[in-house]
Amino acid sequence: MEITPVEKIRADFLRPITPGNFGKTSRYWVIGLTLLLCWGIFAYIYQLRTGLEATAMRNYVSWGLYISTFVFFIGISHSGTLVSAILRITNQEWRRPITRSAELLTAVALMFGGIMPIIDMGRPDRVANMVIFGRVQSPLLWDIMCITTYLTGSLLFLYLPMIPDIALCKERFAKTGSTFRLWVYDKLAMGWKDTPENWRRLERAMRVMTVMIIPIAVSVHTVVSYIFAMTLRAGWNSTIFGPYFVIGALYSGSAGVILTMSAFRRIYHLEEYITPRHFDLMSKIVLSLTMIYAYFNLNEYWVPAYKMESHDGILLSDLFSGGWSTVFWILQFGTVLLPIVILAIPRGRKPVGATIACIIIVAGAWVKRYVIVIPTLLHPFLPIQNVPASWSSYFPNWVEFSVTGGALAGIFLVITLFSKFFPIASIWEVEEGVHLAKKGLVIPGINTQNGADDRSSADHSNHKPIPAVQEAFAK
């Protein structure tokens, strides 16, 4: 019996979440991540019992690995939802198979990024004090408000287009799914019916969220930059930090989206849907953002370096030719200029080349956050008197590495479990793309073999359009 395009799309995206299709490799992967997460929780409990003395942070460096990782996670989270929203609002058809993985990356990175400052505070009960007694003029309070709003918006933005797919999962796995799995699908589907009225409501809600999420996403990283830029310290006292952080987040976050695409494409054999064309287009976005980021980077260091004002001069000398110079120049040439060279070449925008370039970018983005935070704290205006010499240097100890590693494992664990319960691409949107392509309205981003457009190569002769979808989106 010949399978229709719609059935093929559903079969391909539902295969990874089919009950019982949890292979040995997946189990080992989940067990490994769970053990790492548990070790991180153990280290955090040890820190809670011992106090922040258990870490390497002292009077000089009170924001160490935790705050560097917080800024990194928020940066990674920045681009997924924002890129998805921009692609949706501009009706980019090739977005359809990749938007959900991008939105998922945002939501999960935000969840774990948001808890890093709480871990850094030492006592989580102080969070309530920040809300109850917080000063409106404090960027820390703005951070709490913006990140909470962005997390709520990102979860809604992820959830809304999932509703029809969750209803499909409930229907498909009615006989094979466990009671718990079906209960989850039933609650999350919220009684979804394939009616024109439901599609109209979904479309309206998606349109509102798409417009709202863009300014929220930009505001979040701007405000994150304010906790540095509104402090009178050499290296942070800059008016460029707001847009610099936004671009830096877009640059690393877009690279994170490509890595997510690459992982799901390979693990779940989605080569037919996430094609070389997707990598080429996303790589061009990353290339553009990397060039803009390089421009901001130049301005961030060139202007104060030209003046060499006393305290900035001491810090910059340490970065350019002192103890931090090796890391600093590797960052500039290795993680900014090298990706530009790789992605500027057509072969570098193929899946393998783009993945390598984006691994370099993401790793460099994390080190860059570390370099923004730590050297400045080690160069205060007024050096602290009568403290041990070891307090004027900093390198994270096992507690900080364990807690941070546990958070990273938590991100991978949540993404893995999500991909085992829910379709990793929006099935109905991919089907809609095929349907619209069949009518000759748009060119979908789906491919069969070689990255060429599928309108010329795919056989849609047996495609059965979904009447409700056709009716709802025709208006």
Side-chain angles (χ1 to χ4, degrees):
M1 180 180 173
E2 195 171 354
I3 190 169
T4 65
V6 167
E7 281 304 317
K8 180 174 179 357
I9 291 168
R10 293 183 178 185
D12 288 341
F13 286 112
L14 292 178
R15 189 181 306 114
I17 63 171
T18 301
N21 194 9
F22 206 93
K24 207 178 267 186
T25 308
S26 298
R27 287 180 195 166
Y28 290 148
W29 172 249
V30 169
I31 290 171
L33 292 175
T34 305
L35 289 175
L36 281 174
L37 179 61
C38 290
W39 176 254
I41 293 172
F42 166 76
Y44 179 57
I45 293 172
Y46 175 76
Q47 177 186 306
L48 278 179
R49 291 172 63 90
T50 313
L52 284 175
E53 189 182 7
T55 70
M57 292 186 287
R58 295 293 183 267
N59 290 40
Y60 268 76
V61 177
S62 54
W63 289 351
L65 183 64
Y66 296 149
I67 295 300
S68 306
T69 306
F70 156 70
V71 180
F72 170 69
F73 282 167
I74 298 298
I76 287 292
S77 76
H78 194 78
S79 198
T81 293
L82 191 61
V83 167
S84 172
I86 292 172
L87 295 181
R88 285 180 188 279
I89 213 166
T90 54
N91 285 325
Q92 296 298 314
E93 287 300 316
W94 58 275
R95 77 181 191 275
R96 295 177 185 275
I98 65 170
T99 48
R100 182 163 300 162
S101 57
E103 293 155 9
L104 174 64
L105 179 65
T106 289
V108 180
L110 263 179
M111 283 181 212
F112 284 88
I115 64 174
M116 297 310 289
I118 300 173
I119 294 172
D120 183 80
M121 289 173 72
R123 287 178 49 187
D125 55 297
R126 289 177 176 170
V127 175
N129 292 340
M130 290 183 67
V131 176
I132 297 169
F133 305 109
R135 299 170 63 195
V136 178
Q137 62 268 45
S138 168
L140 295 176
L141 188 62
W142 305 345
D143 252 10
I144 294 175
M145 294 168 62
C146 284
I147 291 173
T148 307
T149 306
Y150 188 40
L151 177 59
T152 306
S154 297
L155 288 173
L156 276 174
F157 198 61
L158 170 67
Y159 172 62
L160 282 173
M162 284 177 60
I163 295 175
D165 290 343
I166 294 172
L168 175 66
C169 293
K170 178 187 166 189
E171 176 194 327
R172 286 298 177 101
F173 303 137
K175 293 181 180 176
T176 55
S178 65
T179 305
F180 172 72
R181 179 187 282 252
L182 294 177
W183 178 82
V184 170
Y185 288 155
D186 182 59
K187 296 301 176 188
L188 293 179
M190 295 199 308
W192 171 267
K193 300 290 181 189
D194 188 12
T195 64
E197 180 59 25
N198 274 353
W199 284 109
R200 267 193 292 274
R201 288 179 178 175
L202 178 65
E203 175 71 4
R204 194 178 302 130
M206 283 300 302
R207 198 178 302 127
V208 171
M209 283 305 304
T210 302
V211 172
M212 285 179 60
I213 205 72
I214 294 175
I216 293 174
V218 172
S219 71
V220 168
H221 225 68
T222 305
V223 171
V224 167
S225 80
Y226 287 168
I227 63 174
F228 300 101
M230 292 192 173
T231 307
L232 280 172
R233 300 196 71 139
W236 293 351
N237 186 19
S238 166
T239 57
I240 205 174
F241 256 40
Y244 181 46
F245 267 52
V246 171
I247 288 298
L250 285 169
Y251 144 82
S252 60
S254 300
V257 170
I258 288 185
L259 294 182
T260 310
M261 284 165 47
S262 179
F264 284 130
R265 180 178 189 260
R266 183 172 180 80
I267 294 169
Y268 295 136
H269 307 291
L270 299 176
E271 291 85 355
E272 193 174 343
Y273 302 92
I274 302 175
T275 68
R277 181 166 176 255
H278 289 97
F279 284 90
D280 182 63
L281 293 170
M282 276 302 300
S283 295
K284 287 175 179 171
I285 292 176
V286 175
L287 174 61
S288 305
L289 291 169
T290 308
M291 294 173 75
I292 298 172
Y293 177 71
Y295 169 72
F296 273 89
N297 229 11
L298 176 67
N299 278 274
E300 166 62 13
Y301 292 109
W302 168 245
V303 175
Y306 187 83
K307 294 180 285 191
M308 274 295 182
E309 189 268 337
S310 57
H311 287 91
D312 275 327
I314 296 171
L315 172 64
L316 292 174
S317 297
D318 204 12
L319 289 174
F320 293 163
S321 56
W324 290 89
S325 59
T326 305
V327 176
F328 179 80
W329 291 114
I330 288 176
L331 279 176
Q332 307 309 319
F333 289 99
T335 67
V336 180
L337 293 182
L338 180 60
I340 288 176
V341 172
I342 294 174
L343 295 175
I345 303 168
R347 182 173 290 183
R349 298 195 294 273
K350 302 274 184 197
V352 175
T355 302
I356 292 171
C358 290
I359 289 173
I360 294 171
I361 288 174
V362 171
W366 182 84
V367 179
K368 172 65 179 177
R369 270 61 174 179
Y370 190 85
V371 169
I372 288 175
V373 175
I374 310 303
T376 289
L377 290 173
L378 290 174
H379 292 81
F381 281 111
L382 183 63
I384 302 170
Q385 306 295 315
N386 302 321
V387 296
S390 61
W391 289 19
S392 61
S393 62
Y394 171 79
F395 190 78
N397 67 9
W398 72 270
V399 175
E400 292 160 276
F401 277 125
S402 299
V403 172
T404 305
L408 193 60
I411 289 177
F412 284 123
L413 183 62
V414 172
I415 290 176
T416 303
L417 293 178
F418 180 97
S419 70
K420 292 295 180 183
F421 276 87
F422 304 104
I424 202 58
S426 181
I427 295 176
W428 66 270
E429 288 189 270
V430 175
E431 290 175 3
E432 182 192 36
V434 171
H435 174 61
L436 293 176
K438 186 189 174 203
K439 292 175 69 175
L441 298 178
V442 292
I443 299 173
I446 304 170
N447 181 355
T448 53
Q449 294 287 331
N450 55 9
D453 188 301
D454 76 333
R455 188 166 52 175
S456 59
S457 57
D459 178 14
H460 300 307
S461 58
N462 292 316
H463 175 63
K464 295 178 180 177
I466 304 171
V469 177
Q470 184 181 13
E471 183 179 345
F473 286 92
K475 295 181 179 178

